[in-house]
Amino acid sequence: MNKAMLTFLVTIATLAALPTSARSQEAPEASLVGSWRLTAVYDQFTDGRRRDTWGNSPQGMLQFAANGLFTAAIMAGDRAPRAGTVPSDPVGPAFAYYGTYEVNTSAKTFTFHVQQSTWPQWNGATLNRTITELTSRSLKVVAAPIRDPQGGEFQPHLEFERIP
């Protein structure tokens, strides 16, 4: 092995060993890739009210693959077993969907193209999300405003931590 090749390999190994904050800023699509555990999900109304639609201790996961595929699932954390049910008839609230995604780095957004969802209204839907925080450990996003006939306009907020 010549000296130039050895220098190159040592440089690559050194860069790989550095913490993410010491490396040059990653593109958001590279930073999104991986598995994320849901830590919080809530609806924020324009009048300041907050609603925890998924109850106490919601559970969930969001996964972004490098090839542009994603999968997401959210479940209320306090769901009790119910006799006479089968896995194909979930005891709610539970929600899952998957498909492809795109990232717009300049707008700090990503777009889901939903292929299939447990809520059929989202099958084939395009959903935009705004990234409010993205670090090596944390991802926070907000969805587009939704109009609730009883409560007014709100934005869903989702917060995740990276699964190492």
Side-chain angles (χ1 to χ4, degrees), residues 37-89:
R37 179 181 2 282
L38 184 70
T39 57
V41 58
Y42 60 91
D43 298 334
Q44 184 75 48
F45 286 85
T46 54
D47 65 6
R49 288 179 295 126
R50 181 175 158 159
R51 174 175 61 191
D52 295 318
T53 306
W54 295 91
N56 296 328
S57 304
Q59 304 291 311
M61 181 182 279
L62 176 60
Q63 294 181 303
F64 292 99
N67 65 359
L69 297 175
F70 84 92
T71 184
I74 300 174
M75 287 154 260
D78 54 2
R79 296 176 308 130
R82 186 170 36 187
T85 62
V86 295
S88 61
D89 185 20

Side-chain angles (χ1 to χ4, degrees), residues 27-163:
E29 63 266 36
S31 296
L32 284 175
V33 171
S35 298
W36 300 88
R37 179 181 2 282
L38 184 70
T39 57
V41 58
Y42 60 91
D43 298 334
Q44 184 75 48
F45 286 85
T46 54
D47 65 6
R49 288 179 295 126
R50 181 175 158 159
R51 174 175 61 191
D52 295 318
T53 306
W54 295 91
N56 296 328
S57 304
Q59 304 291 311
M61 181 182 279
L62 176 60
Q63 294 181 303
F64 292 99
N67 65 359
L69 297 175
F70 84 92
T71 184
I74 300 174
M75 287 154 260
D78 54 2
R79 296 176 308 130
R82 186 170 36 187
T85 62
V86 295
S88 61
D89 185 20
V91 177
F95 185 50
Y97 54 107
Y98 68 90
T100 61
Y101 73 96
E102 301 173 55
V103 177
N104 182 328
T105 54
S106 61
K108 296 184 179 174
T109 62
F110 60 88
T111 302
F112 289 136
H113 301 284
V114 179
Q115 182 176 342
Q116 197 69 240
S117 171
T118 56
W119 192 48
Q121 290 88 323
W122 275 14
N123 292 348
T126 298
L127 309 171
N128 296 308
R129 302 292 182 255
T130 300
I131 300 167
T132 59
E133 180 180 305
L134 177 57
T135 69
S136 62
R137 293 181 174 181
S138 176
L139 171 62
K140 295 181 181 181
V141 300
V142 294
I146 297 172
R147 181 91 180 128
D148 179 340
Q150 287 82 32
E153 190 172 277
F154 68 90
Q155 276 190 289
H157 290 245
L158 297 102
E159 300 177 4
F160 301 89
E161 67 182 4
R162 188 178 297 277
I163 300 171

Side-chain angles (χ1 to χ4, degrees), residues 15-30:
L15 287 173
L18 289 174
T20 303
S21 60
R23 294 184 217 158
S24 63
Q25 193 67 277
E26 293 179 322
E29 63 266 36

